[in-house]
Amino acid sequence: MPVDRDALDAALKHLQAEHQRSRYEDATERERTEELIADIERELRYPDPQRTQDQLRRRMQEAVGEFEVRHPQLTAALGQIIDLLSGMGI
């Protein structure tokens, strides 16, 4: 099933907006989220089957688990990205 690139771009923008609105407990938490978003953007722009896509998916799922209570909107936005990327086979 083909993935709607517009939906994926919109989901990424939503994730970025939620990241900007989030109040993080510390700078490390914010930096980890920024790195994850950058990795998602890079994967969308330059898909590379040689790169470990499993690692990106695992990191996103770990972030969902960590942010579930403190950042529910960020978690929901990240979950949407995970679902869309799963549709791409990532």
Side-chain angles (χ1 to χ4, degrees):
M1 175 168 90
V3 173
D4 180 354
R5 288 299 291 196
D6 290 337
L8 196 49
D9 290 339
L12 182 57
K13 286 180 183 173
H14 180 68
L15 176 62
Q16 292 165 329
E18 288 302 332
H19 165 64
Q20 293 301 317
R21 281 191 282 271
S22 293
R23 295 178 190 252
Y24 293 93
E25 291 184 6
D26 58 41
T28 303
E29 190 177 60
R30 176 175 284 283
E31 289 169 7
R32 281 191 6 245
T33 304
E34 289 171 353
E35 288 173 9
L36 183 58
I37 290 171
D39 288 345
I40 293 167
E41 289 174 327
R42 187 173 25 260
E43 185 60 40
L44 295 178
R45 285 193 184 109
Y46 311 105
D48 183 354
Q50 300 301 318
R51 238 185 316 210
T52 311
Q53 294 173 344
D54 287 340
Q55 181 182 14
L56 177 59
R57 183 176 46 248
R58 186 175 56 250
R59 287 179 50 219
M60 287 188 292
Q61 290 168 336
E62 287 172 359
V64 165
E66 291 174 26
F67 295 149
E68 206 166 23
V69 173
R70 292 186 313 272
H71 306 288
Q73 290 81 14
L74 183 65
T75 301
L78 190 53
Q80 184 179 17
I81 294 282
I82 290 170
D83 291 344
L84 290 167
L85 290 176
S86 291
M88 293 175 65
I90 297 173

Coordinates of all heavy atoms in Angstrom, one line a residue:
M1 N 0.8 -1.2 0.0 CA 0.0 0.0 0.0 C 0.9 1.2 0.0 O 1.7 1.4 0.9 CB -0.9 0.0 1.3 CG -1.7 1.2 1.4 SD -3.0 1.0 2.7 CE -2.1 1.5 4.1
P2 N 0.7 2.1 -1.0 CA 1.6 3.3 -1.1 C 1.2 4.3 0.1 O 0.1 4.4 0.5 CB 1.2 3.9 -2.4 CG 0.0 3.3 -2.8 CD -0.2 2.0 -2.1
V3 N 2.3 5.0 0.5 CA 2.1 6.0 1.6 C 1.9 7.3 1.0 O 2.5 7.7 0.0 CB 3.3 6.0 2.5 CG1 3.3 7.1 3.5 CG2 3.5 4.6 3.2
D4 N 0.9 8.0 1.5 CA 0.6 9.4 1.1 C 1.7 10.3 1.6 O 1.8 10.6 2.8 CB -0.7 9.8 1.6 CG -1.1 11.2 1.2 OD1 -0.3 11.9 0.6 OD2 -2.3 11.6 1.5
R5 N 2.6 10.8 0.8 CA 3.7 11.7 1.2 C 3.2 12.9 1.8 O 3.9 13.5 2.8 CB 4.6 12.0 0.0 CG 5.5 10.9 -0.5 CD 6.4 10.4 0.5 NE 7.5 11.3 0.8 CZ 8.6 11.0 1.4 NH1 8.8 9.7 1.7 NH2 9.5 11.9 1.7
D6 N 2.1 13.5 1.4 CA 1.5 14.7 2.0 C 1.2 14.4 3.5 O 1.4 15.2 4.4 CB 0.3 15.2 1.3 CG 0.7 15.8 -0.1 OD1 1.9 16.2 -0.3 OD2 -0.2 15.8 -1.0
A7 N 0.6 13.2 3.7 CA 0.2 12.8 5.1 C 1.5 12.7 5.9 O 1.5 13.1 7.1 CB -0.6 11.5 5.1
L8 N 2.5 12.1 5.4 CA 3.7 11.9 6.1 C 4.4 13.2 6.4 O 4.9 13.5 7.5 CB 4.7 11.0 5.3 CG 5.9 10.4 6.0 CD1 5.5 9.7 7.3 CD2 6.6 9.4 5.1
D9 N 4.4 14.2 5.4 CA 5.0 15.5 5.7 C 4.2 16.2 6.7 O 4.8 16.9 7.6 CB 5.0 16.3 4.4 CG 6.0 15.8 3.4 OD1 7.0 15.1 3.8 OD2 5.9 16.1 2.2
A10 N 2.9 16.1 6.7 CA 2.0 16.8 7.7 C 2.3 16.2 9.1 O 2.3 17.0 10.1 CB 0.5 16.7 7.3
A11 N 2.4 14.9 9.1 CA 2.7 14.3 10.4 C 4.0 14.7 11.0 O 4.1 14.9 12.2 CB 2.6 12.7 10.3
L12 N 5.0 14.8 10.1 CA 6.3 15.3 10.6 C 6.2 16.7 11.1 O 6.8 17.1 12.1 CB 7.3 15.2 9.5 CG 8.8 15.6 9.8 CD1 9.3 14.8 11.0 CD2 9.7 15.4 8.6
K13 N 5.5 17.6 10.4 CA 5.4 19.0 10.8 C 4.6 19.0 12.2 O 5.0 19.8 13.0 CB 4.6 19.8 9.8 CG 5.5 20.1 8.6 CD 4.8 20.9 7.6 CE 5.7 21.1 6.4 NZ 5.1 21.7 5.3
H14 N 3.6 18.2 12.3 CA 2.9 18.1 13.6 C 3.8 17.6 14.7 O 3.8 18.2 15.8 CB 1.7 17.1 13.5 CG 0.9 17.0 14.7 ND1 0.2 18.0 15.2 CD2 0.8 15.9 15.6 CE1 -0.4 17.6 16.3 NE2 0.0 16.3 16.6
L15 N 4.7 16.7 14.5 CA 5.7 16.2 15.5 C 6.6 17.3 15.8 O 6.9 17.6 17.0 CB 6.4 15.0 14.9 CG 7.6 14.5 15.8 CD1 7.0 14.0 17.1 CD2 8.3 13.4 15.1
Q16 N 7.1 18.1 14.8 CA 8.0 19.2 15.1 C 7.3 20.3 16.0 O 7.9 20.8 16.9 CB 8.5 19.8 13.8 CG 9.4 18.8 13.1 CD 9.6 19.2 11.6 OE1 8.8 19.8 11.0 NE2 10.8 18.9 11.1
A17 N 6.0 20.5 15.7 CA 5.3 21.5 16.4 C 5.1 21.1 17.9 O 5.3 21.9 18.8 CB 4.0 21.8 15.8
E18 N 4.8 19.8 18.1 CA 4.6 19.3 19.4 C 5.9 19.3 20.2 O 5.9 19.6 21.4 CB 4.0 17.9 19.4 CG 2.6 17.8 19.0 CD 1.6 18.6 19.9 OE1 1.9 18.8 21.1 OE2 0.6 19.1 19.4
H19 N 7.0 19.1 19.5 CA 8.3 19.1 20.1 C 8.6 20.6 20.6 O 9.0 20.8 21.7 CB 9.4 18.7 19.1 CG 10.8 19.1 19.5 ND1 11.4 18.6 20.6 CD2 11.7 19.9 18.9 CE1 12.6 19.1 20.7 NE2 12.8 19.9 19.7
Q20 N 8.3 21.6 19.8 CA 8.5 23.0 20.2 C 7.6 23.4 21.3 O 8.0 24.2 22.2 CB 8.2 23.9 19.0 CG 9.2 23.7 17.8 CD 10.6 24.0 18.3 OE1 10.9 24.9 19.0 NE2 11.5 23.1 17.9
R21 N 6.4 22.8 21.4 CA 5.5 23.1 22.5 C 5.8 22.4 23.8 O 5.4 22.8 24.9 CB 4.1 22.8 22.1 CG 3.4 23.8 21.2 CD 1.9 23.6 21.1 NE 1.6 22.5 20.2 CZ 1.4 22.6 18.9 NH1 1.5 23.8 18.4 NH2 1.1 21.5 18.2
S22 N 6.5 21.3 23.7 CA 6.8 20.5 24.9 C 7.7 21.2 25.9 O 8.7 21.8 25.5 CB 7.4 19.1 24.5 OG 6.4 18.4 23.8
R23 N 7.4 20.9 27.1 CA 8.3 21.4 28.2 C 9.1 20.2 28.7 O 8.5 19.3 29.4 CB 7.5 22.1 29.3 CG 6.8 23.3 28.9 CD 6.0 23.9 30.0 NE 5.1 24.9 29.5 CZ 5.4 26.2 29.8 NH1 6.4 26.6 30.6 NH2 4.6 27.1 29.3
Y24 N 10.3 20.1 28.4 CA 11.2 19.0 28.8 C 11.7 19.2 30.2 O 12.0 20.3 30.6 CB 12.3 18.8 27.8 CG 11.8 18.4 26.4 CD1 11.5 19.4 25.5 CD2 11.6 17.1 26.1 CE1 11.0 19.0 24.2 CE2 11.1 16.7 24.9 CZ 10.8 17.7 23.9 OH 10.4 17.3 22.7
E25 N 11.9 18.1 30.9 CA 12.5 18.1 32.2 C 13.9 18.5 32.2 O 14.4 19.1 33.2 CB 12.3 16.7 32.9 CG 10.9 16.4 33.2 CD 10.8 15.1 33.9 OE1 11.8 14.5 34.3 OE2 9.6 14.6 34.1
D26 N 14.7 18.2 31.2 CA 16.1 18.6 31.1 C 16.5 18.7 29.6 O 15.8 18.3 28.7 CB 17.0 17.6 31.9 CG 16.9 16.2 31.3 OD1 16.8 16.0 30.1 OD2 16.9 15.3 32.2
A27 N 17.7 19.3 29.5 CA 18.2 19.5 28.1 C 18.5 18.2 27.4 O 18.3 18.2 26.2 CB 19.5 20.4 28.2
T28 N 18.9 17.2 28.1 CA 19.2 15.9 27.5 C 18.0 15.3 26.8 O 18.0 14.8 25.7 CB 19.8 14.9 28.5 OG1 20.9 15.5 29.1 CG2 20.1 13.6 27.9
E29 N 16.8 15.4 27.5 CA 15.6 14.9 26.9 C 15.2 15.7 25.6 O 14.8 15.0 24.6 CB 14.5 15.1 28.0 CG 13.2 14.4 27.6 CD 12.2 14.5 28.7 OE1 11.8 15.6 29.1 OE2 11.7 13.5 29.2
R30 N 15.4 17.0 25.6 CA 15.1 17.8 24.5 C 16.1 17.4 23.3 O 15.6 17.2 22.2 CB 15.2 19.3 24.8 CG 15.0 20.2 23.5 CD 15.0 21.6 23.9 NE 13.8 22.1 24.5 CZ 12.6 22.3 23.9 NH1 12.6 22.1 22.6 NH2 11.6 22.6 24.5
E31 N 17.3 17.3 23.6 CA 18.3 17.0 22.6 C 18.1 15.6 22.0 O 18.2 15.4 20.8 CB 19.7 17.0 23.2 CG 20.2 18.4 23.5 CD 21.5 18.4 24.4 OE1 22.1 17.3 24.6 OE2 21.9 19.5 24.8
R32 N 17.7 14.6 22.8 CA 17.4 13.3 22.3 C 16.2 13.3 21.3 O 16.2 12.7 20.3 CB 17.1 12.3 23.4 CG 18.4 11.8 24.1 CD 18.2 10.6 25.0 NE 16.9 10.1 25.1 CZ 16.1 10.1 26.2 NH1 16.5 10.7 27.3 NH2 14.9 9.5 26.2
T33 N 15.2 14.1 21.6 CA 14.1 14.3 20.8 C 14.5 15.0 19.5 O 14.0 14.6 18.4 CB 13.0 15.1 21.5 OG1 12.7 14.4 22.7 CG2 11.7 15.1 20.6
E34 N 15.3 16.0 19.6 CA 15.7 16.7 18.4 C 16.5 15.8 17.4 O 16.4 15.8 16.2 CB 16.6 17.9 18.7 CG 15.7 19.0 19.3 CD 16.5 20.2 19.9 OE1 17.7 20.1 20.0 OE2 15.8 21.1 20.3
E35 N 17.4 14.9 18.0 CA 18.2 13.9 17.3 C 17.2 12.9 16.6 O 17.5 12.6 15.4 CB 19.2 13.2 18.1 CG 20.3 14.1 18.6 CD 21.2 13.3 19.6 OE1 21.0 12.1 19.8 OE2 22.1 14.0 20.2
L36 N 16.2 12.5 17.3 CA 15.3 11.5 16.7 C 14.5 12.2 15.5 O 14.4 11.5 14.5 CB 14.3 11.0 17.8 CG 13.3 10.0 17.4 CD1 14.0 8.7 16.8 CD2 12.4 9.6 18.5
I37 N 14.1 13.4 15.7 CA 13.4 14.1 14.6 C 14.3 14.3 13.4 O 13.9 14.1 12.3 CB 12.8 15.4 15.1 CG1 11.6 15.2 16.1 CG2 12.3 16.3 13.9 CD1 11.1 16.4 16.8
A38 N 15.5 14.6 13.7 CA 16.5 14.8 12.6 C 16.7 13.5 11.8 O 16.8 13.4 10.6 CB 17.8 15.3 13.1
D39 N 16.8 12.4 12.6 CA 16.9 11.1 11.9 C 15.7 10.7 11.1 O 15.9 10.1 10.0 CB 17.2 10.0 13.0 CG 18.6 10.1 13.6 OD1 19.5 10.8 13.0 OD2 18.8 9.5 14.7
I40 N 14.5 11.0 11.6 CA 13.3 10.7 10.8 C 13.3 11.5 9.6 O 13.0 11.0 8.5 CB 12.1 11.0 11.7 CG1 11.9 10.1 12.9 CG2 10.8 11.0 10.8 CD1 10.9 10.5 13.9
E41 N 13.6 12.8 9.7 CA 13.7 13.7 8.5 C 14.7 13.2 7.4 O 14.4 13.1 6.3 CB 14.1 15.1 8.9 CG 13.1 15.9 9.6 CD 13.5 17.2 10.1 OE1 14.7 17.4 10.4 OE2 12.7 18.1 10.2
R42 N 15.9 12.7 7.9 CA 16.9 12.2 7.0 C 16.4 10.9 6.3 O 16.6 10.8 5.1 CB 18.2 11.9 7.8 CG 19.4 11.5 7.0 CD 20.7 11.4 7.8 NE 20.6 11.1 9.2 CZ 20.7 12.1 10.2 NH1 20.8 13.3 9.9 NH2 20.6 11.7 11.5
E43 N 15.7 10.1 7.1 CA 15.2 8.8 6.5 C 14.2 9.1 5.4 O 14.1 8.5 4.4 CB 14.7 7.9 7.6 CG 14.2 6.6 7.0 CD 15.3 5.8 6.4 OE1 16.5 5.8 6.9 OE2 15.1 5.1 5.3
L44 N 13.4 10.1 5.6 CA 12.3 10.5 4.7 C 12.9 11.1 3.4 O 12.4 10.9 2.3 CB 11.3 11.4 5.3 CG 10.5 10.8 6.4 CD1 9.5 11.8 7.0 CD2 9.7 9.6 6.0
R45 N 13.9 11.9 3.6 CA 14.5 12.6 2.4 C 15.5 11.7 1.7 O 15.5 11.8 0.4 CB 15.3 13.8 2.9 CG 14.4 15.0 3.3 CD 15.3 16.3 3.5 NE 14.4 17.3 3.9 CZ 14.4 17.8 5.1 NH1 15.3 17.4 6.0 NH2 13.6 18.8 5.5
Y46 N 16.2 10.9 2.4 CA 17.2 10.1 1.7 C 17.1 8.6 2.3 O 18.0 8.2 3.0 CB 18.6 10.6 2.0 CG 18.8 12.1 1.8 CD1 18.9 13.0 2.8 CD2 18.9 12.5 0.5 CE1 19.0 14.3 2.6 CE2 19.0 13.9 0.2 CZ 19.1 14.8 1.3 OH 19.2 16.1 1.1
P47 N 16.1 7.9 1.8 CA 15.9 6.5 2.3 C 17.1 5.7 1.9 O 17.6 5.8 0.8 CB 14.7 6.0 1.6 CG 14.0 7.2 1.0 CD 15.0 8.3 0.9
D48 N 17.6 5.0 2.9 CA 18.8 4.2 2.6 C 18.6 2.8 3.2 O 18.7 2.6 4.4 CB 20.0 4.8 3.3 CG 21.3 4.1 3.0 OD1 21.3 3.0 2.4 OD2 22.4 4.6 3.4
P49 N 18.4 1.8 2.3 CA 18.2 0.4 2.8 C 19.4 -0.1 3.5 O 19.3 -1.1 4.3 CB 17.9 -0.4 1.5 CG 18.1 0.5 0.4 CD 18.3 1.9 0.9
Q50 N 20.6 0.4 3.3 CA 21.8 0.0 4.0 C 21.8 0.4 5.5 O 22.4 -0.2 6.3 CB 23.0 0.5 3.3 CG 23.2 0.0 1.9 CD 23.2 -1.5 1.8 OE1 23.8 -2.2 2.6 NE2 22.4 -2.0 0.8
R51 N 21.1 1.5 5.8 CA 21.1 2.0 7.1 C 20.1 1.1 7.9 O 19.2 0.5 7.4 CB 20.5 3.4 7.2 CG 21.4 4.4 7.8 CD 20.8 5.8 7.9 NE 20.1 6.1 6.7 CZ 19.9 7.3 6.2 NH1 20.3 8.3 6.9 NH2 19.3 7.6 5.1
T52 N 20.4 1.1 9.2 CA 19.6 0.2 10.1 C 18.2 0.9 10.4 O 18.1 1.7 11.3 CB 20.3 -0.1 11.4 OG1 21.6 -0.5 11.0 CG2 19.6 -1.2 12.1
Q53 N 17.2 0.6 9.6 CA 15.9 1.2 9.8 C 15.3 0.6 11.1 O 14.5 1.2 11.7 CB 15.0 0.9 8.6 CG 15.5 1.7 7.4 CD 14.8 1.4 6.1 OE1 14.1 0.4 6.0 NE2 15.0 2.2 5.1
D54 N 15.6 -0.7 11.4 CA 15.1 -1.3 12.6 C 15.6 -0.4 13.8 O 14.8 -0.3 14.8 CB 15.7 -2.7 12.8 CG 15.0 -3.7 11.9 OD1 13.9 -3.3 11.4 OD2 15.5 -4.7 11.6
Q55 N 16.8 0.1 13.8 CA 17.3 0.9 14.9 C 16.4 2.2 15.0 O 16.1 2.6 16.2 CB 18.7 1.3 14.7 CG 19.3 2.1 15.8 CD 20.8 2.5 15.5 OE1 21.3 2.4 14.4 NE2 21.4 3.0 16.6
L56 N 16.1 2.8 13.9 CA 15.2 4.0 14.0 C 13.9 3.7 14.6 O 13.4 4.4 15.4 CB 15.1 4.7 12.6 CG 14.2 5.9 12.5 CD1 14.7 7.0 13.4 CD2 14.1 6.3 11.0
R57 N 13.3 2.6 14.1 CA 12.0 2.2 14.6 C 12.0 1.9 16.1 O 11.2 2.3 16.9 CB 11.5 1.0 13.8 CG 10.1 0.6 14.3 CD 9.5 -0.6 13.5 NE 10.4 -1.7 13.3 CZ 10.9 -2.0 12.1 NH1 10.7 -1.3 11.0 NH2 11.8 -3.0 12.0
R58 N 13.1 1.2 16.5 CA 13.2 0.9 18.0 C 13.4 2.2 18.8 O 12.8 2.3 19.9 CB 14.5 0.0 18.1 CG 14.6 -0.5 19.6 CD 15.7 -1.5 19.7 NE 17.0 -1.0 19.3 CZ 17.7 -1.4 18.2 NH1 17.2 -2.3 17.4 NH2 18.8 -0.9 17.9
R59 N 14.2 3.1 18.3 CA 14.3 4.4 19.0 C 13.0 5.2 19.1 O 12.7 5.8 20.2 CB 15.4 5.3 18.3 CG 16.8 4.7 18.6 CD 17.9 5.6 17.9 NE 17.8 7.0 18.2 CZ 18.0 7.9 17.2 NH1 18.3 7.6 16.0 NH2 17.9 9.2 17.6
M60 N 12.2 5.2 18.1 CA 10.9 5.8 18.1 C 10.0 5.2 19.1 O 9.3 5.8 19.9 CB 10.3 5.9 16.7 CG 10.9 6.8 15.8 SD 10.1 7.0 14.2 CE 10.3 5.4 13.5
Q61 N 10.0 3.8 19.2 CA 9.2 3.1 20.1 C 9.6 3.3 21.5 O 8.8 3.5 22.4 CB 9.1 1.6 19.7 CG 8.4 1.4 18.5 CD 8.6 0.0 17.9 OE1 9.5 -0.7 18.2 NE2 7.6 -0.5 17.1
E62 N 10.9 3.4 21.8 CA 11.4 3.7 23.1 C 11.0 5.1 23.5 O 10.6 5.3 24.7 CB 13.0 3.6 23.1 CG 13.5 2.2 23.0 CD 15.0 2.1 22.9 OE1 15.7 3.1 22.8 OE2 15.5 0.9 22.8
A63 N 11.1 6.1 22.6 CA 10.7 7.4 22.9 C 9.2 7.5 23.3 O 8.8 8.2 24.3 CB 11.0 8.4 21.8
V64 N 8.4 6.7 22.6 CA 6.9 6.7 22.9 C 6.8 6.2 24.4 O 6.0 6.8 25.1 CB 6.2 5.8 21.9 CG1 4.8 5.4 22.5 CG2 6.1 6.5 20.6
G65 N 7.5 5.1 24.7 CA 7.4 4.6 26.1 C 7.9 5.6 27.1 O 7.3 5.7 28.2
E66 N 8.9 6.3 26.8 CA 9.5 7.3 27.8 C 8.6 8.5 27.9 O 8.4 9.1 29.0 CB 10.9 7.8 27.3 CG 11.9 6.7 27.5 CD 13.2 7.1 26.9 OE1 13.5 8.3 26.8 OE2 14.0 6.2 26.4
F67 N 8.0 9.0 26.8 CA 7.2 10.2 26.8 C 5.7 10.1 27.1 O 5.0 11.0 27.3 CB 7.4 11.0 25.5 CG 8.8 11.4 25.2 CD1 9.3 11.5 24.0 CD2 9.6 11.8 26.3 CE1 10.5 11.9 23.7 CE2 10.9 12.2 26.0 CZ 11.4 12.3 24.7
E68 N 5.3 8.8 27.2 CA 3.8 8.5 27.3 C 3.1 9.4 28.3 O 2.1 9.9 28.1 CB 3.7 7.1 27.5 CG 2.4 6.5 27.1 CD 2.5 5.0 27.1 OE1 3.3 4.4 27.8 OE2 1.7 4.4 26.3
V69 N 3.7 9.5 29.5 CA 3.0 10.2 30.6 C 3.3 11.7 30.6 O 2.4 12.5 30.7 CB 3.5 9.5 32.0 CG1 3.0 10.3 33.1 CG2 3.1 8.1 32.1
R70 N 4.6 12.0 30.4 CA 4.9 13.5 30.5 C 4.6 14.3 29.3 O 4.4 15.5 29.4 CB 6.4 13.6 30.8 CG 6.9 13.1 32.1 CD 8.3 13.4 32.4 NE 9.2 13.0 31.3 CZ 9.8 11.8 31.2 NH1 9.5 10.9 32.0 NH2 10.7 11.6 30.2
H71 N 4.5 13.6 28.1 CA 4.3 14.4 26.8 C 3.3 13.6 26.0 O 3.7 13.1 24.9 CB 5.7 14.5 26.1 CG 6.8 15.1 26.9 ND1 6.8 16.5 27.2 CD2 7.9 14.6 27.4 CE1 7.9 16.7 27.9 NE2 8.5 15.6 28.1
P72 N 2.1 13.6 26.4 CA 1.1 12.8 25.6 C 0.9 13.2 24.2 O 0.7 12.4 23.3 CB -0.2 12.9 26.4 CG 0.0 14.0 27.3 CD 1.5 14.2 27.5
Q73 N 0.9 14.5 23.9 CA 0.7 15.0 22.6 C 1.9 14.7 21.7 O 1.7 14.3 20.5 CB 0.4 16.5 22.5 CG -0.9 17.0 23.1 CD -0.9 17.0 24.6 OE1 0.2 17.0 25.3 NE2 -2.1 17.1 25.2
L74 N 3.1 14.8 22.2 CA 4.3 14.4 21.5 C 4.3 12.9 21.2 O 4.6 12.5 20.1 CB 5.5 14.8 22.3 CG 6.9 14.5 21.7 CD1 7.1 15.4 20.4 CD2 8.0 14.8 22.7
T75 N 3.8 12.2 22.2 CA 3.7 10.7 22.0 C 2.8 10.4 20.9 O 3.0 9.5 20.0 CB 3.3 10.0 23.3 OG1 4.3 10.3 24.3 CG2 3.2 8.5 23.2
A76 N 1.6 11.0 20.8 CA 0.6 10.8 19.8 C 1.2 11.1 18.4 O 1.0 10.4 17.5 CB -0.6 11.6 20.1
A77 N 1.9 12.3 18.3 CA 2.5 12.7 17.0 C 3.5 11.7 16.6 O 3.6 11.3 15.4 CB 3.1 14.1 17.2
L78 N 4.3 11.2 17.5 CA 5.4 10.2 17.2 C 4.7 8.9 16.8 O 5.2 8.3 15.8 CB 6.3 10.0 18.4 CG 7.6 9.3 18.2 CD1 8.4 9.8 17.0 CD2 8.4 9.3 19.4
G79 N 3.7 8.5 17.5 CA 2.9 7.3 17.1 C 2.4 7.4 15.7 O 2.4 6.4 14.9
Q80 N 1.9 8.5 15.3 CA 1.4 8.7 13.9 C 2.6 8.5 12.9 O 2.4 7.8 11.9 CB 0.8 10.1 13.8 CG 0.2 10.3 12.4 CD -0.4 11.7 12.3 OE1 -0.2 12.6 13.1 NE2 -1.3 11.8 11.3
I81 N 3.7 9.0 13.2 CA 4.9 8.9 12.3 C 5.3 7.4 12.2 O 5.5 6.9 11.2 CB 6.1 9.7 12.8 CG1 5.8 11.2 12.8 CG2 7.4 9.3 12.1 CD1 6.0 11.8 11.4
I82 N 5.3 6.7 13.4 CA 5.6 5.3 13.4 C 4.6 4.5 12.5 O 5.0 3.7 11.7 CB 5.5 4.7 14.8 CG1 6.7 5.3 15.6 CG2 5.6 3.2 14.8 CD1 6.6 5.0 17.1
D83 N 3.3 4.8 12.6 CA 2.3 4.1 11.8 C 2.6 4.4 10.3 O 2.5 3.4 9.5 CB 0.9 4.5 12.2 CG 0.5 4.1 13.5 OD1 1.2 3.1 14.1 OD2 -0.5 4.6 14.1
L84 N 2.8 5.6 9.9 CA 3.1 5.9 8.5 C 4.3 5.3 8.0 O 4.4 4.8 6.9 CB 3.1 7.5 8.3 CG 1.7 8.2 8.5 CD1 1.9 9.7 8.6 CD2 0.8 7.8 7.3
L85 N 5.4 5.3 8.8 CA 6.6 4.7 8.4 C 6.5 3.2 8.2 O 7.1 2.5 7.4 CB 7.8 5.0 9.3 CG 8.2 6.5 9.3 CD1 9.3 6.7 10.3 CD2 8.8 6.9 7.9
S86 N 5.7 2.6 9.1 CA 5.4 1.1 9.0 C 4.7 0.8 7.7 O 5.0 -0.2 7.1 CB 4.5 0.7 10.1 OG 5.2 0.7 11.4
G87 N 3.9 1.7 7.2 CA 3.3 1.6 5.9 C 4.3 1.6 4.8 O 4.0 1.1 3.7
M88 N 5.4 2.2 5.0 CA 6.5 2.3 4.0 C 7.5 1.1 4.1 O 8.4 1.0 3.4 CB 7.3 3.6 4.2 CG 6.5 4.9 3.9 SD 7.5 6.3 4.3 CE 8.9 6.2 3.1
G89 N 7.2 0.3 5.2 CA 8.1 -0.8 5.4 C 9.4 -0.4 6.2 O 10.3 -1.2 6.3
I90 N 9.3 0.7 6.9 CA 10.4 1.1 7.8 C 10.1 0.9 9.2 O 9.0 1.2 9.7 CB 10.7 2.6 7.5 CG1 11.1 2.9 6.1 CG2 11.7 3.1 8.5 CD1 11.2 4.3 5.7

